[in-house]
Amino acid sequence: MAAIPALDPEAEPSMDVILVGSSELSSPVSPGEGRDLIAYEVKVNQRNIEDICLCCGSLQVHTQHPLFEGGMCAPCKDKFLDALFLYDDDGYQSYCSICCSGETLLICGNPDCTRCYCFECVDSLVGPGTSGKVHAMSNWVCFLCLPFSRSGLLQRRRKWRGQLKAFYDRESESPLEMFETVPVWRREPVRVLSLFEDIKKELTSLGFLESGSDPGQLKHLDDVTDTVRKDVEEWGPFDLLYGATPPLGHTCDHPPSWYLFQFHRLLQYARPGPGSPRPFFWMFVDNLVLNKEDQDVASRFLEMEPTTIPDVRGGSLQNAVRVWSNIPAIRSSRQWALVSEEELSLLTQNRQSSKLAAKWPTKLVKNCFLPLREYFKYFSTELTSSL
């Protein structure tokens, strides 16, 4: 499957071209409900689409949609913030890029794109029956990849990558360090500093590192006691810093808190300078070995609360980790099953009483790296959740 030619989003042609289904939108017969109301309000009542929620058709607009011209009500804004950067095991986003809902999704055929669109959004905004026509196509290119900006009522915003960052900066209740996504033709391979656990295998299986690639793309350190700022600066610059505490049962020469403090120290060395627009991501994983006091210290040093990522199989908790990270959507409550502190405590006790050392839980955090496809070069591979 060939990728479409690279386009400069700052110099998009102003073409009023509708992908498919152009005739159906021209004269809506009567107002429907929800998103069916959008075409009627725009075509018949001459209402500005910026005054209508693009996601649900509500006229109670709270803000503007960051990717396409149109409004967004407060409930849809919250849903969008929670879900836009959630990914499935196949590497594509879990929800529609317009409404962040949808059960049946159309996937973009551009191999460098991860976006999906639900049937309802496509039919209501481009034209009735459009989803069926797109579904029958062998290589459909989505509304953010097309060389023209308009398809029916769906008008891509200029500089939408910057608009998306501004949207998160403005609308998120607990702002997360957010970077402007990078156009495909400007993405480069990710440079990784991996502390205490080597994640090369996981990143390679996801397509972020090329098999047999220059080992300089990933630097792994088991012990950083003698590592100083000059070392990190000479090895870098890095795009991703990863670190983890050892699982219970593993022999180690340091207390659990040592891994936290060393990670935080090297995080300061690896960060880009103030005001740098360069995307930089980090993740610290606790294998349930930090006590409550250490967890509080981690949250204070890393300036966020952790997200618990569980492995629930057969209705029982098999494994879990606590994660602090600035990777988009890793803190979304919709992504992970809720696990009580009692369940985590029992899991920890069972691990401590077991004679077998727990395995490094890379399988739990592996897919958390998928949102980085918006920022770094992706080497085609068959994505899978298994190692």
Side-chain angles (χ1 to χ4, degrees):
M1 186 182 298
I4 61 171
L7 299 170
D8 182 357
E10 309 304 321
E12 292 174 341
S14 178
M15 296 175 62
D16 188 6
V17 180
I18 296 174
L19 178 63
V20 285
S22 58
S23 61
E24 293 93 332
L25 264 182
S26 58
S27 55
V29 177
S30 60
E33 297 181 357
R35 277 179 282 187
D36 292 335
L37 181 66
I38 298 176
Y40 185 87
E41 288 292 334
V42 172
K43 295 291 183 178
V44 177
N45 291 340
Q46 300 296 302
R47 188 184 293 271
N48 190 329
I49 198 168
E50 299 282 23
D51 297 329
I52 309 172
C53 178
L54 209 61
C55 306
C56 70
S58 169
L59 302 181
Q60 302 298 315
V61 168
H62 168 78
T63 187
Q64 262 53 59
H65 198 288
L67 304 180
F68 300 97
E69 291 188 5
M72 186 179 284
C73 66
C76 289
K77 177 264 296 183
D78 293 338
K79 185 190 302 181
F80 191 94
L81 287 170
D82 274 347
L84 183 65
F85 280 100
L86 298 187
Y87 282 71
D88 287 335
D89 293 343
D90 60 6
Y92 288 93
Q93 293 187 338
S94 302
Y95 298 98
C96 173
S97 291
I98 301 173
C99 68
C100 279
S101 296
E103 295 182 0
T104 306
L105 300 175
L106 300 165
I107 297 174
C108 180
N110 178 3
D112 292 314
C113 183
T114 63
R115 303 194 182 278
C116 306
Y117 300 82
C118 71
F119 277 36
E120 188 173 357
C121 275
V122 172
D123 285 340
S124 61
L125 296 172
V126 181
T130 300
S131 62
K133 297 175 183 177
V134 170
H135 186 62
M137 297 172 68
S138 59
N139 186 21
W140 174 69
V141 178
C142 85
F143 308 106
L144 291 177
C145 293
L146 284 168
F148 43 84
S149 60
R150 178 182 291 277
S151 297
L153 295 178
L154 203 58
Q155 171 76 42
R156 180 174 65 231
R157 289 197 187 277
R158 286 185 54 80
K159 302 182 180 180
W160 61 265
R161 299 177 189 280
Q163 295 279 0
L164 181 60
K165 181 188 184 315
F167 176 85
Y168 268 80
D169 291 344
R170 182 180 67 249
E171 299 294 342
S172 179
E173 293 182 1
S174 53
L176 179 67
E177 191 174 19
M178 182 80 183
F179 302 96
E180 184 175 338
T181 58
V182 179
V184 171
W185 54 96
R186 285 174 43 198
R187 295 176 194 172
E188 298 180 354
V190 63
R191 293 178 59 88
V192 184
L193 179 57
S194 179
L195 308 180
F196 323 128
E197 178 187 8
D198 192 348
I199 57 170
K200 181 175 182 179
K201 180 179 179 181
E202 287 68 43
L203 293 179
T204 301
S205 69
L206 292 176
F208 289 113
L209 297 175
E210 193 172 19
S211 297
S213 63
D214 179 359
Q217 294 299 130
L218 186 143
K219 178 76 173 179
H220 169 61
L221 300 172
D222 281 319
D223 193 335
V224 297
T225 304
D226 299 324
T227 303
V228 297
R229 181 183 293 273
K230 183 179 179 181
D231 296 325
V232 176
E233 291 176 347
E234 288 179 351
W235 296 329
F238 293 103
D239 306 303
L240 171 65
L241 175 65
Y242 174 86
T245 59
L248 281 170
H250 282 251
T251 302
C252 53
D253 299 327
H254 309 285
S257 59
W258 180 88
Y259 297 90
L260 164 65
F261 294 132
Q262 295 300 330
F263 175 84
H264 182 262
R265 180 172 68 89
L266 267 67
L267 177 60
Q268 309 316 306
Y269 299 164
R271 283 186 187 276
S276 172
R278 181 169 66 87
F280 174 77
F281 299 97
W282 56 267
M283 178 189 291
F284 182 72
V285 179
D286 170 35
N287 292 288
L288 302 186
V289 298
L290 295 179
N291 59 33
K292 183 62 170 66
E293 182 179 352
D294 289 339
Q295 293 172 43
D296 292 340
V297 171
S299 296
R300 187 168 70 252
F301 276 35
L302 301 176
E303 301 180 0
M304 67 174 62
E305 294 299 316
T307 294
T308 299
I309 301 179
D311 179 11
V312 180
R313 284 175 287 174
S316 62
L317 182 64
Q318 304 293 321
N319 199 359
V321 292
R322 293 187 181 93
V323 179
W324 291 261
S325 179
N326 72 332
I327 295 177
I330 204 167
R331 292 188 293 168
S332 172
S333 60
R334 295 177 59 182
Q335 190 172 14
W336 318 114
L338 296 179
V339 178
S340 68
E341 286 299 321
E342 290 76 15
E343 290 176 290
L344 293 177
S345 177
L346 182 60
L347 176 63
T348 303
Q349 292 173 20
N350 291 339
R351 283 185 182 178
Q352 290 172 334
S353 62
S354 174
K355 296 182 180 180
L356 297 175
K359 295 181 180 179
W360 288 92
T362 49
K363 192 172 183 180
L364 290 182
V365 301
K366 176 183 173 183
N367 284 359
C368 296
F369 296 114
L370 284 172
L372 301 187
R373 287 186 66 183
E374 299 284 345
Y375 303 90
F376 303 109
K377 186 174 181 180
Y378 168 73
F379 300 95
S380 182
T381 185
E382 184 176 346
L383 293 177
T384 174
S385 60
S386 60
L387 296 180

